[in-house]
Amino acid sequence: MSAVFNFTFVPWFRAVAPYIHMHRGKTFVVGLTGEAIAAGKLANIATDLALIQSMGVKIVLVHGFRPQVNEQLRVKGYEPRYAQGHRITDEAALDAAQEAAGQLRYEIEAAFSQGLPNTPMAGSKVRVISGNFITARPMGIIDGVDFKHTGVVRKVDTAGITHSLDTGALVLLSPFGFSPTGEAFNLAMEEVATSVAIALQADKLIFLTEKPGIRVHPTEPESEDNPIDTEIPLAEAQALLSRLPPPELPNDVGFYLRHCVSACLHGVERSHILPFAVDGSLLLEVYVHDGIGTMVVDEKLESLREATHDDVGGILQLIEPFEKDGTLVKRSRTEIERDIENYTIVEHDGVIFACAALYPYPEAKTAEMAALTVSPQSQGQGDGEKILKRIEQRARAMGLQSIFVLTTRTMHWFIKRGFQPVDPEWLPEARKRKYNWDRKSQVLVKKL
């Protein structure tokens, strides 16, 4: 084993470990599009889900089958029919859906049964449980369109799914539901996954889709200046949906976003849109700080917000011990009151547990993150991560290309989160004039 491997593996594994601890015992609902299976991604996705489950996460996997049903219909001489973004499920479409679902469940269960030596799933024992966990009702006639055997979720058998998860099994759901009289209804994978996540009050709802996520400028094309927005506050996501036309196709900006918003509004802490085209996107999103797709988060759960003048006393109380031991540069009450609009805080039950300030240098397309502080009482619980994410959001909203920090003691924390050391000469001229050469602070930069 090479020294280079050791040098890279050890810090990587240490950086991942907090996320392993954080997610152990949590419940994830994963919506897997039929397009991902058609693209040949099932084997790697199954491997990644097995790895995540082996680290203590409870998983419900809901598969889609849109392209498979369309293929079955065309083989039989029928054309798929849609209206208002929903399939019209006549008798032919219902037969095609049942055939596609049976074939896909067989393929998915086979994928989780792989245990070949020298593969990531060697020695793994993933027990897959499926069942009639979804009760459905007909969608009916909407605006004159009879959707026939297309249905909507009426009830989720929460107790049954929870019991199966508690036995250590992975629960696999097809987008089908049954009425109390035994009638079968074709459902949308996205609705099933969202309904199950809400019913279970899951910790995450994750969609593996053909979309890479939501871009910073959602209606504009991909470019270096329009990257994926890795975290969208719930209120912002709701506002975006209100500006968009009703989504009908999977590539529409709001198609998966509306389900993420619905889940967060009903108690699911995090909802994600990930690209299945990127190998390992699940692992990158769950165990890496910046992730790879878009996460919608209800900030009320985190008590994460911009500071007001009422918070000055709490910020002073939080940072004072760190100023005394030299970790932070001392700031007076006057300075904090003057700059209070620059601060972001994490508050729990009226107590401020973390803070940071953002000082922009627009002429250099960068900003300084200063006074990042986390109370010793909440260190290790992710408050520093939450603050950093929000500061990055604020900087992007200003059109900035990077943020930087000056630190004497915590450079490794920042390096693990994507910051790179640079020479102090890199600093914007206005900041360089205030740089304390005697303190010899390290300058670290992160590109946004």
Side-chain angles (χ1 to χ4, degrees):
M1 193 173 292
S2 71
V4 173
F5 176 83
N6 294 351
F7 181 76
T8 56
F9 172 77
V10 172
W12 168 84
F13 195 74
R14 287 172 177 163
V16 167
Y19 298 99
I20 296 174
H21 296 311
M22 183 190 307
H23 298 313
R24 184 175 289 120
K26 300 295 179 66
T27 300
F28 294 179
V29 176
V30 179
L32 176 64
T33 60
E35 286 80 359
I37 301 172
K41 304 296 183 181
L42 177 58
N44 285 344
I45 290 171
T47 295
D48 292 345
L49 286 170
L51 288 171
I52 292 171
Q53 190 194 48
S54 73
M55 289 183 277
V57 177
K58 301 175 182 179
I59 295 174
V60 178
L61 177 61
V62 184
H63 75 81
F65 53 15
R66 187 181 298 108
Q68 290 82 4
V69 173
N70 291 346
E71 182 182 359
Q72 291 274 4
L73 283 170
R74 291 187 178 114
V75 166
K76 297 176 179 180
Y78 299 96
E79 277 300 312
R81 292 193 297 150
Y82 293 89
Q84 304 164 29
H86 301 282
R87 185 187 296 278
I88 299 174
T89 310
D90 55 16
E91 292 294 338
L94 183 63
D95 287 343
Q98 290 171 338
E99 290 178 26
Q103 178 64 29
L104 287 179
R105 285 170 81 151
Y106 170 82
E107 292 180 17
I108 293 169
E109 289 182 14
F112 281 107
S113 299
Q114 300 174 41
L116 296 175
N118 301 320
T119 71
M121 288 185 68
S124 67
K125 296 186 184 299
V126 181
R127 190 153 49 93
V128 178
I129 291 180
S130 302
N132 55 339
F133 295 114
I134 306 297
T135 302
R137 61 175 177 81
M139 182 175 284
I141 300 172
I142 302 176
D143 295 334
V145 178
D146 185 353
F147 285 91
K148 301 183 183 296
H149 297 285
T150 298
V152 294
V153 176
R154 180 179 178 184
K155 184 180 179 183
V156 176
D157 181 3
T158 307
I161 295 175
T162 301
H163 175 73
S164 299
L165 292 173
D166 288 344
T167 66
L170 180 148
V171 173
L172 173 63
L173 300 179
S174 295
F176 268 107
F178 301 92
S179 72
T181 59
E183 186 179 1
F185 291 100
N186 173 35
L187 309 175
M189 175 276 287
E190 301 81 17
E191 190 203 349
V192 174
T194 303
S195 298
V196 170
I198 292 170
L200 296 177
Q201 288 294 279
D203 300 281
K204 285 185 183 293
L205 168 63
I206 302 173
F207 289 113
L208 275 167
T209 79
E210 51 275 70
K211 290 187 67 63
I214 308 299
R215 299 200 171 273
V216 172
H217 305 292
T219 58
E220 297 178 14
E222 174 186 356
S223 70
E224 288 187 3
D225 296 326
N226 192 20
I228 296 299
D229 196 342
T230 57
E231 184 174 326
I232 303 179
L234 176 57
E236 186 179 318
Q238 288 178 280
L240 171 59
L241 280 177
S242 69
R243 299 194 300 269
L244 295 171
E248 294 191 0
L249 300 174
N251 280 323
D252 291 344
V253 173
F255 191 84
Y256 297 103
L257 182 63
R258 60 183 172 175
H259 296 287
C260 291
V261 167
S262 176
C264 286
L265 284 172
H266 291 90
V268 178
E269 293 189 8
R270 303 281 190 277
S271 297
H272 305 251
I273 302 170
L274 307 184
F276 65 69
V278 177
D279 186 28
S281 58
L282 270 168
L283 301 178
L284 290 168
E285 182 74 4
V286 173
Y287 296 109
V288 176
H289 169 68
D290 285 326
I292 191 172
T294 294
M295 175 174 70
V296 178
V297 55
D298 183 359
E299 292 176 337
K300 295 193 297 294
L301 296 170
E302 306 300 336
S303 302
L304 177 67
R305 61 177 174 81
E306 272 60 73
T308 69
H309 284 280
D310 292 336
D311 300 313
V312 172
I315 292 172
L316 281 168
Q317 186 176 358
L318 174 66
I319 67 177
E320 184 181 15
F322 297 93
E323 292 175 340
K324 285 183 177 179
D325 69 12
T327 302
L328 294 178
V329 175
K330 186 169 179 57
R331 289 169 174 80
S332 67
R333 174 180 283 272
T334 302
E335 287 179 284
I336 294 176
E337 287 178 342
R338 181 194 65 203
D339 300 333
I340 193 62
E341 292 181 355
N342 295 29
Y343 280 80
T344 296
I345 64 168
V346 172
E347 177 191 30
H348 299 292
D349 297 325
V351 178
I352 296 175
F353 280 85
C355 74
L358 182 69
Y359 294 95
Y361 293 87
E363 70 285 354
K365 294 287 187 181
T366 191
E368 179 180 6
M369 181 172 70
L372 176 61
T373 312
V374 178
S375 167
Q377 299 175 42
S378 64
Q379 286 180 5
Q381 298 180 21
D383 283 347
E385 305 267 353
K386 298 164 196 168
I387 289 281
L388 174 57
K389 286 277 191 182
R390 172 56 78 85
I391 290 293
E392 290 174 5
Q393 287 173 8
R394 295 183 71 178
R396 285 194 190 96
M398 295 176 186
L400 305 179
Q401 297 174 355
S402 64
I403 58 174
F404 67 90
V405 296
L406 276 67
T407 181
T408 57
R409 302 190 185 183
T410 56
M411 64 179 297
H412 291 290
W413 189 91
F414 291 105
I415 289 173
K416 286 179 181 178
R417 287 151 183 86
F419 286 78
Q420 299 293 328
V422 297
D423 190 272
E425 290 295 332
W426 177 93
L427 291 169
E429 287 300 323
R431 185 62 181 88
K432 199 187 303 181
R433 289 194 293 269
K434 296 186 287 184
Y435 180 77
N436 185 338
W437 294 93
D438 292 331
R439 185 173 167 84
K440 296 181 180 179
S441 297
Q442 294 280 337
V443 181
L444 305 168
V445 179
K446 181 175 184 178
K447 292 183 180 180
L448 300 176

